[in-house]
Amino acid sequence: ITYISGLGIFFDDYANALIVGESMRPITDVLSISREKLAFLVDATAAPVASIVPLTSWIGYEVGLIQDELDAIFEKYPKEDISISDNGLAVFLQSVKYRYCELSVHCHD
């Protein structure tokens, strides 16, 4: 339940940790699941999910940084010589497949 809740609340990593951690603590206490395991599950779904789902506050900031750098690159070099998108969101979406840590953390049993 904790893992699924963490995947569902993905708009911000800090909000995810606070909401899921606090709401799941009584349930995991009743089920005799350690606080350490709860902390791992909350952490394993908070930042990794928030860093790959394009509808989060984290991604908004990251796309802004990418766009700033793309603008600087295209200002310095001719667009014809560069084979990369000029859209920060497109570059971010293309990079998701290379985020091995965030993707692999969800492959545990």
Side-chain angles (χ1 to χ4, degrees), residues 16-65:
N16 179 308
L18 290 170
I19 293 168
V20 175
E22 190 62 31
S23 62
M24 289 294 125
R25 189 175 52 186
I27 296 169
T28 56
D29 286 347
V30 169
L31 297 172
S32 298
I33 296 172
S34 70
R35 295 276 173 96
E36 291 82 4
K37 186 169 185 174
L38 173 61
F40 170 76
L41 291 172
V42 169
D43 185 55
T45 56
V49 171
S51 69
I52 59 175
V53 175
L55 302 173
T56 66
S57 57
W58 190 336
I59 299 309
Y61 177 69
E62 192 172 332
V63 167
L65 292 175

